[in-house]
Amino acid sequence: DALLEESGGGLVEVGGSLKLACTGSGLDFDEFAIGWFRQAPGKRREGISCIGCKDGSGYYVDSVKGRFSISKTNGENIVYLQMNNLKPEDTGLYYCAAGNKDLTRVHPTAEPMYDWWGRGTQVIVSS
C-alpha cells in the first residue's frame, strides 16, 4: 500500500523559515503529482502547492507565491516544501498527497484529484 509521511513542522517566529518533507513508499513519485495542503484552526483544508501537476517546476496559490518553494529530485520519493518569510496565517496542519498527473493539470490543488494522503505535520508561526 502507498504511504506518505510528512516531516519538518515545528514552531517558528514570524519571518522565519521551515522546510517540510514528504516521503513516500509503495508508489513512484515520478508518476504522480505531489501536492501540499494545509488546514488552519477552524478552517477548511486548502491546497497551496503542487509539483508534477502543471508544466514547469511547481504551482502555488497566491497566498504563498514568492515565499514557498516546492522541489523534488527525479528518482527520489521525497518532495520538499521550503517555506520562507512565514506569517501567523501560515499556521496549520500541513499535509502532502499524491494524485493523478492528468487530473491535477486542470485542477492542481483540488482534493478529489489526490488519492493518497499523509497524516500531516504541524506548523505554528508565532507573532
Side-chain angles (χ1 to χ4, degrees):
D1 290 343
L3 179 66
L4 277 69
E5 185 172 8
E6 304 89 346
S7 61
L11 174 65
V12 64
E13 292 183 349
V14 169
S17 298
L18 283 174
K19 187 173 185 178
L20 306 184
C22 173
T23 304
S25 61
L27 73 169
D28 184 350
F29 272 20
D30 289 342
E31 298 181 0
F32 291 89
I34 304 300
W36 281 99
F37 298 76
R38 68 184 180 191
Q39 186 166 19
K43 295 188 177 182
R44 294 178 59 183
R45 187 162 58 186
E46 61 169 343
I48 58 172
S49 180
C50 59
I51 192 166
C53 54
K54 303 280 281 187
D55 295 333
S57 59
Y59 173 87
Y60 307 90
V61 296
D62 288 345
S63 59
V64 306
K65 196 174 296 182
R67 301 187 297 123
F68 290 12
S69 177
I70 192 169
S71 63
K72 177 189 171 301
T73 301
N74 286 343
E76 293 187 1
N77 272 10
I78 304 177
V79 168
Y80 297 101
L81 185 69
Q82 176 68 48
M83 307 188 296
N84 298 326
N85 190 22
L86 284 162
K87 305 175 180 181
E89 52 264 41
D90 294 318
T91 292
L93 190 60
Y94 282 68
Y95 302 86
C96 66
N100 181 283
K101 281 191 171 183
D102 291 333
L103 295 178
T104 55
R105 188 171 291 118
V106 179
H107 305 288
T109 55
E111 291 189 28
M113 306 300 113
Y114 291 83
D115 297 310
W116 292 277
W117 292 78
R119 294 187 175 183
T121 185
Q122 184 71 47
V123 172
I124 300 173
V125 183
S126 64
S127 57

